[in-house]
Amino acid sequence: MKKLLTVITLLICLMALQACGPGFLPDYKALNAQALQFASKEQNSQPRVRCYSGNKQVDRVVDRIAAASDTRNWCVKVEDNAAFNAYVTPDKNVVVFTGLLDFTESDDELAAIIGHEMAHVVLGHSQQKLRDLQTMESIKQSIANSSSTQSAALQRQQLALLAYSLLVAKPYSRERELAADALGLMYLHRGDYDPSAGVRVLSLIHISEPTR
């Protein structure tokens, strides 16, 4: 119970930095149920991490977060890039930039970023973003192949609306980010990391990139 209260307190701090109201507070039971459902589909015969980056710190952190989330088949890569960034693809490739490693001061801070990004995959956010981008590409192809001026005009309108939704309005992005924060912080607790150490780096991510 104490751990859950700690997670909630830290999440409220992050919400304040994002200027989010109390209505954005995630449903922990629903998040945990979704995470358990994702983990239940994993094949126990698969390794936690199928390929390592060779960076001992990154590999160590991903291993512990994978165990904490009870998920498998991750692949880790470190890219020589000065940007303060990390991301995880829908097919479980964890990519960490060297700029992030230069900035983070401990395994706890790095685990907060990696746990957050892995949570996006567990919660289906990365997959949904990929589907949205594929839909945009499909509409673009339809416009290019259309012989009807009226049809092409309608499809351009659809593409513009979808692009606005994805790139400007992003109505669910704050909720997704807070859900990933919440689940990621839960993973930190389960992996015996200090969740409070993650507030600094997660706060910087939300300030520099408030929506995705």
Side-chain angles (χ1 to χ4, degrees):
M1 184 64 181
K2 184 178 179 181
K3 286 186 175 182
L4 180 58
L5 289 174
T6 302
V7 170
I8 292 174
T9 301
L10 294 173
L11 189 60
I12 289 173
C13 292
L14 290 169
M15 287 170 62
L17 288 167
Q18 293 192 70
C20 292
F24 279 93
L25 189 64
D27 183 336
Y28 284 91
K29 288 185 178 180
L31 284 178
N32 193 49
Q34 191 172 347
L36 289 173
Q37 183 180 26
F38 183 94
S40 70
K41 297 177 182 178
E42 302 285 79
Q43 298 179 14
N44 291 334
S45 59
Q46 294 177 329
R48 293 284 182 202
V49 180
R50 70 176 186 272
C51 54
Y52 289 93
S53 68
N55 181 296
K56 291 183 179 179
Q57 182 189 21
V58 175
D59 293 342
R60 178 173 65 245
V61 168
V62 173
D63 233 350
R64 281 176 63 177
I65 295 296
S69 62
D70 197 22
T71 55
R72 299 177 179 274
N73 208 31
W74 301 93
C75 185
V76 194
K77 181 180 180 181
V78 174
E79 287 191 2
D80 187 10
N81 190 315
F84 171 68
N85 195 23
Y87 64 91
V88 180
T89 64
D91 55 351
K92 296 185 177 180
N93 289 297
V94 182
V95 182
V96 179
F97 290 179
T98 53
L100 178 64
L101 298 179
D102 293 337
F103 183 84
T104 51
E105 298 177 351
S106 65
D107 279 15
D108 300 281
E109 290 188 351
L110 181 60
I113 302 296
I114 291 176
H116 172 95
E117 296 300 331
M118 289 170 71
H120 275 304
V121 174
V122 171
L123 295 172
H125 301 161
S126 301
Q127 296 87 327
Q128 182 59 53
K129 186 173 183 179
L130 178 60
R131 286 194 293 270
D132 289 340
L133 293 173
Q134 288 171 339
T135 299
M136 286 184 65
E137 187 60 33
S138 176
I139 295 174
K140 286 168 63 178
Q141 287 296 322
S142 296
I143 293 172
N145 297 330
S146 177
S147 59
S148 167
T149 303
Q150 184 176 3
S151 176
L154 178 60
Q155 289 172 336
R156 287 193 191 94
Q157 185 180 20
Q158 291 174 335
L159 180 61
L161 288 172
L162 180 59
Y164 177 81
S165 174
L166 289 174
L167 305 177
V168 182
K170 301 177 183 178
Y172 304 110
S173 57
R174 279 204 180 102
E175 291 183 21
R176 284 199 298 259
E177 290 303 318
L178 284 169
D181 285 343
L183 187 58
L185 289 172
M186 290 164 71
Y187 289 161
L188 293 190
H189 270 304
R190 294 173 189 170
D192 290 324
Y193 288 112
D194 177 12
S196 63
V199 172
R200 183 177 80 97
V201 285
L202 288 174
S203 300
L204 286 174
I205 285 180
H206 292 318
I207 290 170
S208 62
E209 191 178 1
T211 56
R212 295 187 183 190

